[in-house]
Amino acid sequence: MLEFDIENGTWTGKDGKLVKYTKETRQLSSHDDWSEYHLQITRWPKTTSIEIVVMSGDQGYDSESRWSRSEVHRLTKLPHAEFEAQRDQLIEKILKLANEQFGHLTL
């Protein structure tokens, strides 16, 4: 089983409604010195989404201010039961898609 960092949070919708979520994040290994890549699984009340997060920046900055830009690429969103039934296959498929887009990434 893969190790993920877990964060619980609350997102505020356009209507002011508070929506709780759980975010699982794992940094991916890459050969890119300018960006970090993360596999992110976010569990919303009814669905689970899988994203690749790309954080880019300049190595000249200190570690806290280095990451000047982040992009979230949502690759799929599906009901919890469907995600759980296919978790490993989905992660494998997501990594294949991410490698086509961003280069060599591994868990």
Side-chain angles (χ1 to χ4, degrees), residues 15-93:
D15 59 358
K17 183 177 178 183
L18 300 177
V19 179
K20 293 186 180 205
Y21 65 85
T22 300
K23 188 183 300 183
E24 300 176 45
T25 307
R26 179 178 170 98
Q27 185 171 349
L28 301 172
S29 298
S30 74
H31 299 292
D32 185 343
D33 291 334
W34 295 95
S35 300
E36 281 188 1
Y37 300 86
H38 300 262
L39 174 64
Q40 182 171 285
I41 299 168
T42 308
R43 296 174 189 275
W44 300 96
K46 297 180 182 178
T47 61
T48 299
S49 61
I50 304 174
E51 298 102 5
I52 295 294
V53 178
V54 181
M55 296 170 47
S56 303
D58 185 343
Q59 291 183 335
Y61 290 104
D62 63 41
S63 61
E64 290 186 26
S65 62
R66 173 181 175 185
W67 306 113
S68 60
R69 189 181 83 193
S70 67
E71 298 174 358
V72 177
H73 302 270
R74 179 175 287 161
L75 302 171
T76 190
K77 186 175 183 178
L78 57 162
H80 297 305
E82 191 175 331
F83 170 76
E84 288 303 328
Q86 303 177 52
R87 181 184 173 106
D88 292 340
Q89 296 90 344
L90 285 168
I91 289 173
E92 191 175 307
K93 193 180 290 187

